[in-house]
Amino acid sequence: MPAFLFKRLLNAAGVMLAVAFLAFLIFRFVGDPVELMLNEQASQAQRDELRIRLGLDKGFVLQFATFVGNALHGDFGISYRNQQEVFTLISERFPATFELVLVATFLSLAVGIPLGVYTAIKRDSWLAKVLQFVSVLGVSLPSFALGILFILLFSVTLQWLPAFGRGQVVQIGWWSTGFLTPSGRLALILPGITLSLFQITLVMRLVRAEMLETMRTDFIRFARARGLTLRAVHFRHALRNCLMPVITVTGLQIGNLIAFALVTETVFQWPGMGLLFVQAVTFVDIPVMAAYLIVVSFIFVSLNTLVDLLYAYVDPRLREDAISGAANAR
Amino acid sequence: MKRAWMLAAIAAFALTGAVIPISAASAKTLKWGAAREIASLDPYSYGDTFTLSVLNHVYEGLVRYTGDLKIEPALAESWETVSPTVWRFKLRQGVKFHNGNPFTADDVVASLERVTNDASPLKGNLPAYKSSKKIDDYTVEIEVNGPYPLLLNDLTNIFIFNKAWLVANNSLLPTDSGKGVKGYATDNANGTGPFIVESRRVDAKTVYVKNPNWWDKPQHNIDTIEFLPIASASTRVAALLSGEIDFTNVAPLQDLPRLSASPEVKVLQTNELRTVIFALNLKDTLFESDVKDKNPLKDIRVREALYRAIDIDAVQKRAMRGLSRNTGALIAPAIPGYEPSQDVRLPFDLDGAKKLLAAAGYPNGFSFQMNCQSDGLVNEEEFCQAVASMWSRAGLRPNLSLGPRSQQTPKRVKGEFDVISFGWANEPMIDAYSILIQVMRSKSGSGGVFNWGNWGDPRIDALIDKAGVELDNGKRIPMMMEALKIAKAEHLFIPLHQQPMAWAMRSTVAATVQASDNKPRLWLTTMK
């Protein structure tokens, strides 16, 4: 097991380095921050000077090495535009994105699972068919269009919910939360639903498929034969067997949600990491762009590695040393 | 199972809280929905006009622009030139910073040193600065490199810090992203201006409250400004319609009819200082063309043909939604150096354009690359596409390259284009000298930074150099007019229009001043 753990972690580190390299390579082509940082009146000498100060005159390999070296210390440099530490900038925005993702995940489970169960059990009812149809819409409708539709309906026409922002937030240490104030909770609704809609349909379709699969198995038939109530059969036996893949997918989707939050955050002016990234792109703020990509990939890689390790823990057949051990024994 | 459903319902309800309609803004709070966040609270940390215009509510310069763009005293009461290179400023007495410190000559000297430090991105805003010294507590002398007529214009945007505050917070030097130096002033502010920064959450909300001890007599009645950046244009419009913001300085052109239709919203529309032109590659060969051996654009007949082939009324109507101001001049009417006689355009004449092309030896036209930005000027994509199709009708084959500003700028700087759309506002100095020295001057030590297409002319250069050291406006401005006249006669650039700008406000805002520099001046704004 320790060898397996070590190998997995090494893999993860390799992926991170590759991501960092790609990120850096891509940003070489984004443009020249100097032209956007200085205003119309700056002279050529000042432009050249700034380029040297920022280290943009150095070779690609040297810039990349400096970046990785600093990043290992948690130092992502200073934002060209905000003149603040990039790490601070990102960690200040992280709570906003995380809370949004949390709400979206909660909604996707709270709405997706019951709908999935319903459409599986009553799959011939008209409501189930409507839900199936709507779920296709939910998958194919882009979230920015949905967000703007929501804003038009709930903010402009009905004036129930705020169109943008996080409302009032409460600061707990370095974490800022919107859960504790009424305006903060109100502000979470529209972006939360917008972000979760894709997830809801995903969970619903997954639960439905798994339920249909399980319902056909022998043990459900035996459960019925034992004379258990339908509710016990559906929820205690069938649904419980479906939840494992749902939980796995949900866990893995958290990374996706953080990445997709970018669009939702832009539409709702949600002050999270995605919005920070979009602004950084506009102003060629390379340190922020690179750091964002690395933080998001880090979350992805960590989640995946964690899931892998848990699986290996649960199922010894997946461990390589177990396999080789078995081979030796033979 | 009923319990599980109940729990889900309760959780969903708890998340919502009670659904309360958003109430209207309280009495004298102005909620300002801007298109983007300002770079920092430190006016010297990023060379950005919008950031400066917002921070001008907190910090002030020695002089400032009035609502109609005339220079008037601010922290300085009066000034005189002691010699052609030395200016003496008498400072206003009794002014206090937001933290209560008195304003004196030391503050001016420390601020000028900070802004002209090598690490300061704003150094270019004070190009002629050599040194400054305190004469007494309320007198400062500024020495410039040579005779320089535009010092006052430059000083409108150099905001004054409190020296004691800078010293106490170890911020005498500017922040420096190159060296990894960050600063206290990035997140904290202490100015002399009409509003005080109360709280700031970047990308979410910055709150400014009225400065009760402001030295000037307030013409506004605002107690609190909430500055709310909203990047998405449709969200900003929605916020205005739903009453979540009172005012926006960036109302999208395509939404103006909808905004005007709402009885609660008023649209303020005018034209910016920024003049939009097409600038041409005048190097020896074109960048991307089927004409390899020479540059057809160097032929004045070809340039005139390009000019005459543009149906400006159609551009104005179709691409600019009838809101731009067609121009024949290279600068806007409000800029010193403007002359109405230069504002007359060559008429739209498609046959004439074809004849001129044939006379120049290109009866079948030629291909060239046109570089435009998708997020630069107002409706830039639209007007570039319109002009490209007009040039095609004249027999030319423009090859339109569209991309975001961050991608197109490096190509433009390197001169990798044949035609570019180009906008110049002459800010922050608000004088024709800005476009002359930075854009039209042949590349030299200090000039021609934006002369990307090698379009300089020795006659123009000579006039620019003379105007740059002439202190008498009566002589200086005619020199600039002469230089602009030559550029126009040669068709070095093809002028299009002054781009439109639109603000929108709810009926909660009674009146504001909208100048063509597109800077909101909330200290001149009243609410109901």
Side-chain angles (χ1 to χ4, degrees), chain A residues 69-278:
Chain A
N70 289 339
L72 286 176
H73 299 111
D75 174 12
F76 290 102
I78 299 239
S79 153
Y80 291 164
R81 180 171 135 78
N82 299 58
Q83 303 282 316
Q84 273 182 308
E85 258 178 37
V86 174
F87 188 76
T88 319
L89 272 178
I90 290 189
S91 54
E92 269 173 13
R93 303 296 199 290
F94 181 74
T97 300
F98 185 78
E99 289 188 353
L100 183 61
V101 167
L102 209 66
V103 169
T105 308
F106 170 78
L107 281 177
S108 65
L109 293 177
V111 180
I113 293 177
L115 286 184
V117 171
Y118 180 80
T119 48
I121 297 172
K122 307 243 162 151
R123 65 175 160 149
D124 292 325
S125 75
W126 64 270
L127 184 61
K129 282 177 182 154
V130 168
L131 283 171
Q132 277 284 93
F133 177 72
V134 171
S135 77
V136 177
L137 261 173
V139 175
S140 44
L141 204 67
S143 56
F144 68 88
L146 198 76
I148 288 169
L149 268 172
F150 279 165
I151 290 175
L152 268 181
L153 183 62
F154 293 106
S155 302
V156 178
T157 311
L158 298 172
Q159 309 223 343
W160 285 355
L161 297 165
F164 69 94
R166 256 187 111 187
Q168 210 59 26
V169 292
V170 177
Q171 203 74 28
I172 305 170
W174 65 277
W175 189 274
S176 66
T177 180
F179 284 135
L180 298 178
T181 62
S183 71
R185 288 192 292 265
L186 275 181
L188 269 162
I189 297 172
L190 289 186
I193 294 176
T194 307
L195 186 60
S196 68
L197 215 81
F198 182 83
Q199 295 294 324
I200 290 177
T201 53
L202 189 78
V203 170
M204 169 185 151
R205 298 182 139 247
L206 190 69
V207 170
R208 179 177 181 273
E210 290 285 332
M211 276 291 274
L212 288 176
E213 187 81 9
T214 319
M215 296 289 277
R216 275 199 292 270
T217 56
D218 286 340
F219 102 93
I220 294 293
R221 260 183 242 148
F222 286 131
R224 282 215 184 121
R226 267 162 60 204
L228 295 179
T229 61
L230 265 185
R231 209 201 306 157
V233 172
H234 288 155
F235 291 100
R236 195 155 305 155
H237 292 89
L239 181 62
R240 205 167 267 186
N241 270 291
C242 301
L243 285 185
M244 198 56 206
V246 171
I247 289 167
T248 314
V249 166
T250 308
L252 290 177
Q253 283 287 324
I254 286 180
N256 266 341
L257 277 179
I258 290 178
F260 280 134
L262 206 135
V263 177
T264 308
E265 285 184 7
T266 312
V267 172
F268 288 97
Q269 188 67 30
W270 192 260
M273 298 195 297
L275 192 65
L276 183 74
F277 179 74
V278 170

Side-chain angles (χ1 to χ4, degrees), chain A residues 29-33 35-47 49-51 53-55 78-85 88-89 92-93 103 106-107 110 114-115 148 151-152 154-156 158-164 166-169 171 176 179 182 185-186 188-189 231 235 239 266-272 275-276 279 281-284, chain B residues 1-2 5 8 11-12 14-22 36-40 45-48 118-119 121 123-125 127 148 154 175-183 186-187 201-205 228-232 234-235 238-239 241-242 244-245 258 274 375 405-407 409-410 413 423-429 434 438 443 446 449-450:
Chain A
F29 299 102
V30 174
D32 187 348
E35 293 305 328
L36 299 173
M37 281 175 81
L38 291 174
N39 66 5
E40 293 177 350
Q41 219 154 309
S43 71
Q44 192 58 49
Q46 282 156 8
R47 280 160 210 276
E49 207 180 340
L50 181 61
R51 189 166 283 116
R53 294 189 86 78
L54 298 178
I78 299 239
S79 153
Y80 291 164
R81 180 171 135 78
N82 299 58
Q83 303 282 316
Q84 273 182 308
E85 258 178 37
T88 319
L89 272 178
E92 269 173 13
R93 303 296 199 290
V103 169
F106 170 78
L107 281 177
L115 286 184
I148 288 169
I151 290 175
L152 268 181
F154 293 106
S155 302
V156 178
L158 298 172
Q159 309 223 343
W160 285 355
L161 297 165
F164 69 94
R166 256 187 111 187
Q168 210 59 26
V169 292
Q171 203 74 28
S176 66
F179 284 135
R185 288 192 292 265
L186 275 181
L188 269 162
I189 297 172
R231 209 201 306 157
F235 291 100
L239 181 62
T266 312
V267 172
F268 288 97
Q269 188 67 30
W270 192 260
L275 192 65
L276 183 74
Q279 289 202 335
V281 171
T282 319
F283 290 92
V284 201
Chain B
M1 199 54 222
K2 258 203 183 114
W5 285 100
L15 195 72
T16 316
V19 176
I20 314 159
I22 305 138
R36 59 187 184 82
E37 180 58 279
I38 58 172
S40 145
S45 69
Y46 195 80
D48 168 44
D118 280 339
K123 196 183 172 192
N125 278 10
Y148 180 69
D154 292 343
T175 51
D176 188 344
S177 44
K179 290 223 167 94
V181 180
K182 57 193 175 84
T186 310
D187 310 298
R201 284 204 341 270
V202 178
D203 276 342
K205 180 161 56 167
L228 307 155
I230 308 172
S232 153
S234 34
T235 310
L241 289 172
S242 67
E244 286 172 82
I245 57 173
R258 194 194 145 117
R274 195 170 297 275
D375 56 352
R405 189 165 69 115
S406 56
Q407 239 176 43
T409 305
V413 174
W424 199 265
N426 296 287
E427 279 184 90
M429 66 168 62
S434 168
Q438 293 289 78
K443 264 198 194 295
S446 59
V449 173
F450 290 79

